[in-house]
Amino acid sequence: MMGVNRRDFLRIAGLTAAIGMGGKTAVDLLWPGQLDAAEGGIEGWWKSKTPENPLYPGDLARGKEIPNPGELTAKRWGMALDMRKFTADSRAAVIKACNEVHNVPSIPGNQNIKWIWETSFGHAFPDLEQEYMDNEVHDLPFLVLCNHCDNPPCVRVCPTKATFRRQDGIVMMDMHRCIGCRFCMAACPFGSRSFNFADPRKFFPEGKESNPTYPTRTKGVVEKCTFCTERLAKGELPACVEVSGGAMLFGDMADSGSPVRQALRTRYAIRRKNELGTAPQVYYLI
Amino acid sequence: MLEKALKGEPRYWAWVVFLLVVIGAGFGAYLVQYNEGLTITGMSRDVTWGFYIAQFTFLVGVAASAVMLVLPYYLHHYKAFGRITILGEFLAISAVTMCLLFIVVDLGRPMRLMNVLLHPTPNSILFWDMVVLNGYLFINLFVGWAALGAERKELPPPKWTKPLIYLSIPWAVSIHTVTAFLYAGLPGRGFWLTAIMAPRFLASAFAAGPAVLIMLAFLVKKLTKFDAGKEAIESLAKIITYAIILHLFFFFLEVFTVTYSAIPGHLSHLQYLYFGLHGHPSNVMPLMWLALTCGFTSIALLIVPKWRQNHKILLPAVILVFICTWIDKGIGMISGGFVPNPLHEITEYAPTGLELMITFGVYAVGALVLTILYKTAITVKQYKELT
């Protein structure tokens, strides 16, 4: 039906009746770009509704025409974790690198901050675990982090657009706008977000931040993995990818030649909670 | 009219001072939270909402239940509610005030509250909740105050209140529906992901709100001789009876879908609440069973008209309704939703002392608002009746 499914047809018909003009015109006037987005069904529709943060008008997020010299850019960033290549050492190195680069405090107890951490297969993929699965896979610790969903529920629920999706797909946090309502944490189906219950500066391992060039956070805001936007802007890969010894791949999901896409063509990969339709952009190569 | 609240017996002032002391203590506790952060609460990375948001949810229901008086009185001209409707409207004002305060004390960065207005985000349900709650507060303030002012001058309520009163009826439904939508639209939270959340919220609210109102009416009668009227109480009791039955019926519908389908992501939360999970007994289990017991007992007491009309039975019955619905929303909703977490891990939640002090502080603010409004309303009404 020329790319117009029943849902779109009903919406267009309803609007036409209500407004009394050509349906497509009406929709385009009300929500520019909606019709194209709606081709992707409800996911595409939500994505088109996903707010971007107006605080970053010149940001890569807005499709800036001239990026910084050497800046890494993509249509949609994605990541693949090669579970066969990880070792205990590389997993530890990855976590350590991330924590150090981003001044992630080590807070004892259950009010802690986690950007990337280790968990079991059953916790990472509760719906895929079964009694008789391959022991090797089952007992392998999995690294989990923000999935930078293509259709992020956290962004949908944020009442201030403090968390938003950049045009390159990275789900970002504006720490200066967050009111600390923690709605995004209730919405995230992956437990990828952390709240600063206390002042994180009190919990730096060495007593002060490990990376003076990266901002520390205040109490009362939510934080999470950012795919190292600050490093991409300088032409560097995310810190975890850099130290992973080739176990983590990073690239443009829209580019069929990117390392992630190449790996996904030949290897079986799974995503966390695929059935929820959030379209995670972190893939696990089994 | 507010000056009526400035004249009272020593008993009245003792109560006001007591509330001020509780508010002061709560404010002190809040200052600690403001300085230290929400770390002073029992909340965690896994259970990110706690007592504050639970009380907020419960009180939205109490506020919405004013519609159970407004609708029969204004829409169906049910005269028996003539004396009690104002009490319901003022209870709604006090409840919404507490709701807004509970949101504020729950924020990690309360000073940035206005960001919700500076960066309005229509795709966030929290944005709409703010819109409907504030709207409801003002509708009830205007309507209640204008009606009382007119009554004092022995005039009919001003004409401009009529459309507002009609608006307040769907608006009351909206505040609890939108509050249910805060929870019911989140992927990956199986306990909340249910279309019956809003009707369940409304049913329990229409039981809990009138139950609070009956308790208040009894108290007011004892303290001031202001009688809401036998028929009004009986009608309210009838409403509560239907609503508490509906509440438990909706709960049964939820239990059926979840247990018969047996999908783990939905089932595990109910299991946790009522039986514990993976051999780990939950800390709310006794309360959850207590809520069910109270609910069923209250139905047994309320369903027989003779018993329901006997105030010696009605009072304990509505207290049971209150306990049942309060545990359901004030405890089970939050614990059940967040445990187990998205990674199927169990982190339990229990409020801390400071968290409870802040909670009592907010409740005391609500009680103070209610006291002042009731004192004004009852003085006006009694003065009118004496002359």
Side-chain angles (χ1 to χ4, degrees), chain B residues 218-253:
Chain B
F218 283 168
L219 190 68
V220 162
K221 190 176 166 189
K222 203 158 180 203
L223 293 174
T224 70
K225 309 277 175 284
F226 176 81
D227 191 352
K230 194 165 169 282
E231 197 187 333
I233 297 291
E234 274 179 21
S235 298
L236 271 183
K238 241 181 258 172
I239 291 170
I240 295 172
T241 312
Y242 278 114
I244 190 72
I245 291 172
L246 267 180
H247 166 63
L248 286 172
F249 175 62
F250 287 166
F251 172 70
F252 164 75
L253 296 183

Side-chain angles (χ1 to χ4, degrees), chain B residues 353-372:
Chain B
L354 281 170
E355 204 174 354
L356 288 177
M357 269 174 80
I358 295 172
T359 304
F360 289 138
V362 173
Y363 267 108
V365 172
L368 186 63
V369 169
L370 192 74
T371 304
I372 292 169

Side-chain angles (χ1 to χ4, degrees), chain A residues 110-112 123 156-157 159 161 175 177-183 185-186 189-191 194 197 218-220 273, chain B residues 34-35 37-39 41 43-45 48-49 106 108-109 112 115 119-121 123-124 182 189 342-343 347:
Chain A
N110 57 21
Q111 295 182 337
N112 50 343
H123 288 313
R156 205 182 300 155
V157 302
K161 304 185 194 79
M175 308 288 182
R177 188 185 282 193
C178 176
I179 59 172
C181 72
R182 310 185 296 294
F183 203 177
M185 297 178 78
F190 307 104
S194 305
F197 282 93
T218 59
K219 68 171 187 285
K273 302 196 180 177
Chain B
Y34 188 83
N35 285 320
L38 284 158
T39 182
T41 69
M43 288 184 264
S44 60
R45 196 177 182 280
T48 47
W49 285 336
D106 186 67
R109 301 219 63 96
R112 294 183 187 163
N115 279 1
H119 311 289
T121 313
N123 49 278
S124 173
L182 288 176
R189 300 278 179 190
L343 284 86
T347 306

Side-chain angles (χ1 to χ4, degrees), chain A residues 192-207:
Chain A
S192 294
R193 293 175 159 266
S194 305
F195 179 69
N196 286 285
F197 282 93
D199 182 357
R201 290 155 193 151
K202 291 183 196 162
F203 298 94
F204 289 140
E206 312 279 304

Side-chain angles (χ1 to χ4, degrees), chain B residues 134-171:
Chain B
N134 281 292
Y136 193 67
L137 177 63
F138 286 107
I139 290 177
N140 275 289
L141 262 178
F142 289 145
V143 169
W145 206 248
L148 192 63
E151 193 171 334
R152 187 164 74 145
K153 295 179 195 134
E154 299 191 27
L155 291 168
K159 274 220 170 71
W160 60 265
T161 57
K162 205 89 202 214
L164 274 184
I165 288 165
Y166 292 148
L167 180 65
S168 81
I169 293 167
W171 204 287

Side-chain angles (χ1 to χ4, degrees), chain B residues 83-92 213 217 220 226 228 374 377-378:
Chain B
R83 291 162 67 84
I84 203 170
T85 298
I86 190 81
L87 298 188
E89 284 166 343
F90 283 173
L91 174 61
L213 201 59
V220 162
F226 176 81
Y374 273 21
I378 289 161

